[in-house]
Amino acid sequence: MSTELPPVAPEVLAEAVENLTPRLRKKLDAATEGCAVVAVLTADGTVTLRFGEDALVTLSPGPAGTITTADQAACSCLLAPRCLHRAAALGAAPLADTPPEPVAAAEPGRPGEPGQPAEPTGSTETTGPIGPVEPAPALTAAQLRAAGALWRVAAEALAAGVTAGGAVVQAELLRAAHTARLAGLPRAEAAALRVVRGLRAARERRAGQRLGDLTGAFRELLHTAGMLASGSADPALTGTTRRAYAPGGSLQVQGLCREPVLSATGYGGVVTHLLSPDGIPYSVSDVRPGGLARARGAGSASVALGGATLDHAGLARGGLRIVGATISAEGRLGAGRGVRATPLPGTAWTEQPAARLFARPAAEAVAELLATPDAAESALLGCDVTVVGAAGEHLLVRETRPDAPLLRLVPAHPHPELAHTENLRRIASYPGLLLRVLGRPDLDRTATLRPLAVGPVPGAEHTLRLPDEWLGRADLGYDRLQGAHFPQGDAAPVPLPAAEGPDPLADSPLWRVRRLLETGVAGGRRAVAEAARGTDSLAAASYGPLRRAGLTGAAELAAALAAEADRRPRDVFGRLADPSPDGYAWAWLAAATHLAAAERCLIAASWAAAPGAAAPVSGR
């Protein structure tokens, strides 16, 4: 039985690989495979891995359960610490991560602690509920060097692809990411870590790994590093090391819903979404190490905010009056000694401020979110829908507006131990049901919403029947819908056909560009070059449909990428030489950026009204 290895800090792994000789680096990928199988957890909390008779690697994690220093990983062989065994053990361990959310209360005046105003590094501008602050200064020489180094290793990793992106390539990315963090470029570091995790998942062929996600991670990394290396000091590119909190004065908020949080790095918890009377969104989060068990239990945990006597279940259906609030740029409420919170009675979704979320068409709200992608990650969208039925893994619904298109509801968190999937399956068995949905639009898919909570449609007969104590909504991640919550004996409306309509994104010839980009991520530059070789009609066959559809820009960029991938320079003696990855990376990034913009236009169109669509059955 395999033992789970403790997470390791990226800089520790990068240093271990860097200390290997070129000969040992070639053996690193093979040595890393199977390390988790031979790992043994000892009584004192350390993990040991035996390599042959004379080499025993001991991993001694700190109080947080992670390997954060080089001396916490030791090997008994003569080459230690510059040995293959130690580097392989560290390479097999998951990458450590900082908590994704502020998790604890801290005293005021101590910046940098969770839940408190932090000292940002790199950027000094924040936006959101607390308003704009002074713009960021120009990048320093150290930041420019770090960004340039990160661009170079990212370009090399892209040229290598998943097939050649082993432990050595990943370690170079980790080293550059660590340098970026020290230089005050946390967003660049985070983008590099996402690429490394994606490369690991792809090489290990983990379940749920999507090549499209890794392609998006490469696009973000190259864009961030390239812009920073050119001298751009945009605060959106530099980021902050911790979420900066600023005084928010007195504040009143009402609960909307709660959402379980479960990360791939072992963190679990809950985020409760709130809304102020003027419609500004806020949230209170409680995320810590613990994984699934903590994500399930945190939904009823106490809210650590200013002495409030509510738990997260009560806050999601209640409210707070806060004095001395501290607020991050993303609208997260911090805790501290100076914060005071008093519970308030809850309000239904039919009352303000929540009613404002359901007052306008979904297409209008999505178009606004697509125009501000940074704010779209945490934005919630509300709409009234009619249930059509299940279609594969989707629940098809239609917004209760004239000529509205079909929408797809997919689980916000697909883990089977959470209630999202089961609740959507039960709802799908009631075609014609009228439903009020609050969720997060998936801006990478056409007309797709990830619902967090549902409630009855005001005035409708064939709708949900929820208990009074639920205050007119059910949190799909925690509350489990039962048969008694659905209409009993009501005259059901005429069922609507459960057939998906046309998908403008899937039907577009843009898939040819997407396949070319993903080919480059999977097989590297060589795979793109080989795909472009062959008969003279290959380019016309690939890019002709793009041109005929009016997508000439996409066709030109894809052709330029294929040509750059196949370019082989010659040295002064006429011999073929290895090309620089720089030009290829820029060509790939140009095509990927254009594709992302074109796909967003199609996604926005998928939310718009469907000409000639049948009017939804009201059921009233």
Side-chain angles (χ1 to χ4, degrees):
M1 181 177 179
S2 60
T3 297
E4 185 175 353
L5 298 175
V8 57
E11 61 270 20
V12 175
L13 173 58
E15 182 182 9
V17 176
E18 187 178 14
N19 288 335
L20 295 179
T21 63
R23 181 180 64 85
L24 293 179
R25 289 188 184 188
K26 295 179 180 179
K27 301 180 179 181
L28 183 56
D29 287 333
T32 301
E33 297 179 2
C35 282
V37 178
V38 300
V40 176
L41 178 65
T42 63
D44 60 355
T46 62
V47 176
T48 61
L49 300 90
R50 180 167 293 282
F51 294 83
E53 298 182 357
D54 302 325
L56 181 68
V57 176
T58 303
L59 303 179
S60 305
T66 60
I67 304 295
T68 56
T69 60
D71 57 2
Q72 291 176 321
C75 181
S76 62
C77 76
L78 297 177
L79 293 179
R82 301 174 180 269
C83 64
L84 180 64
H85 316 113
R86 180 174 174 273
L90 292 173
L95 292 178
D97 197 7
T98 54
E101 308 285 348
V103 296
E107 298 179 6
R110 297 169 63 183
E113 296 191 48
Q116 289 304 304
E119 294 178 347
T121 306
S123 169
T124 59
E125 177 179 349
T126 57
T127 58
I130 59 178
V133 193
E134 293 297 324
L139 296 181
T140 65
Q143 289 176 323
L144 290 172
R145 288 194 299 269
L150 185 56
W151 165 266
R152 287 190 294 273
V153 297
E156 292 172 355
L158 177 68
V162 172
T163 54
V168 175
V169 171
Q170 295 170 26
E172 291 174 351
L173 279 169
L174 294 177
R175 170 63 71 184
H178 181 59
T179 303
R181 182 179 67 180
L182 295 180
L185 302 174
R187 176 163 178 171
E189 179 210 15
L193 293 181
R194 279 192 289 273
V195 168
V196 173
R197 291 192 175 99
L199 286 172
R200 284 187 166 195
R203 289 177 63 83
E204 296 170 8
R205 299 180 180 177
R206 299 178 191 169
Q209 185 274 333
R210 294 176 61 246
L211 190 58
D213 294 337
L214 182 55
T215 302
F218 262 113
R219 184 184 69 244
E220 181 182 357
L221 173 59
L222 290 169
H223 170 74
T224 303
M227 293 296 292
L228 290 172
S230 67
S232 174
D234 186 348
L237 293 174
T238 53
T240 56
T241 53
R242 282 187 181 269
R243 293 186 174 93
Y245 284 74
S250 298
L251 184 66
Q252 181 175 319
V253 292
Q254 291 291 334
L256 289 174
C257 64
R258 56 194 163 135
E259 173 188 7
V261 175
L262 184 62
S263 77
T265 53
Y267 287 89
V270 64
V271 172
T272 298
H273 298 277
L274 312 165
L275 202 63
S276 69
D278 52 359
I280 297 177
Y282 295 92
S283 64
V284 173
S285 60
D286 182 7
V287 180
R288 309 178 189 221
L292 176 63
R294 194 167 196 291
R296 297 176 63 183
S300 56
S302 298
V303 177
L305 182 66
T309 57
L310 285 174
D311 58 18
H312 280 272
L315 179 57
R317 296 183 173 94
L320 286 177
R321 180 179 288 111
I322 307 172
V323 178
T326 58
I327 310 171
S328 77
E330 299 86 357
R332 289 179 174 83
L333 300 178
R337 182 174 296 177
V339 180
R340 295 291 180 267
T342 304
L344 294 175
T347 59
W349 281 357
T350 55
E351 304 175 25
Q352 297 296 350
R356 192 177 293 115
L357 296 173
F358 304 92
R360 60 175 177 168
E364 182 181 320
V366 169
E368 182 178 307
L369 292 176
L370 287 170
T372 56
D374 289 339
E377 296 179 0
S378 58
L380 299 183
L381 180 149
C383 57
D384 293 345
V385 301
T386 303
V387 174
V388 176
E393 299 179 355
H394 305 147
L395 168 59
L396 296 182
V397 300
R398 193 185 297 275
E399 193 177 4
T400 55
R401 296 181 183 273
D403 298 334
L406 283 174
L407 305 180
R408 301 167 181 84
L409 303 187
V410 298
H413 300 277
H415 197 287
E417 295 297 323
L418 298 176
H420 295 91
T421 302
E422 179 184 345
N423 281 331
L424 289 185
R425 286 175 180 168
R426 185 174 288 273
I427 292 172
S429 62
Y430 290 85
L433 181 75
L434 281 151
L435 204 62
R436 176 157 280 189
V437 180
L438 182 67
R440 184 175 295 109
D442 188 338
L443 301 182
D444 293 326
R445 302 184 182 184
T446 54
T448 300
L449 184 67
R450 296 185 179 273
L452 302 180
V454 295
V457 173
E461 296 179 4
H462 199 73
T463 189
L464 291 176
R465 307 283 193 266
L466 300 180
D468 293 340
E469 59 269 22
W470 285 15
L471 205 63
R473 65 259 205 178
D475 296 328
L476 293 179
Y478 290 105
D479 302 321
R480 294 188 180 269
L481 295 174
Q482 306 296 330
H485 298 149
F486 292 87
Q488 303 294 324
D490 292 350
V494 178
L496 300 175
E500 295 193 61
D503 187 336
L505 186 59
D507 298 340
S508 167
L510 286 173
W511 65 266
R512 300 171 185 274
V513 183
R514 190 183 315 114
R515 184 174 67 179
L516 183 66
L517 294 171
E518 292 180 355
T519 297
V521 170
R525 178 175 187 154
R526 180 177 299 177
V528 175
E530 291 176 353
R533 295 186 190 129
T535 63
D536 296 336
S537 61
L538 179 61
S542 298
Y543 309 131
L546 289 168
R547 298 183 189 278
R548 288 192 294 272
L551 301 171
T552 55
E556 294 292 343
L557 291 171
L561 171 60
E564 178 62 30
D566 200 30
R567 186 180 62 83
R568 293 291 303 274
R570 294 181 180 271
D571 60 19
V572 294
F573 299 104
R575 297 172 298 190
L576 288 175
D578 291 332
S580 168
D582 193 69
Y584 170 74
W586 280 117
W588 188 94
L589 178 59
T593 303
H594 185 278
L595 175 66
E599 288 182 336
R600 290 218 160 190
C601 291
L602 292 175
I603 290 170
S606 72
W607 286 85
V617 178
S618 65
R620 301 190 181 187

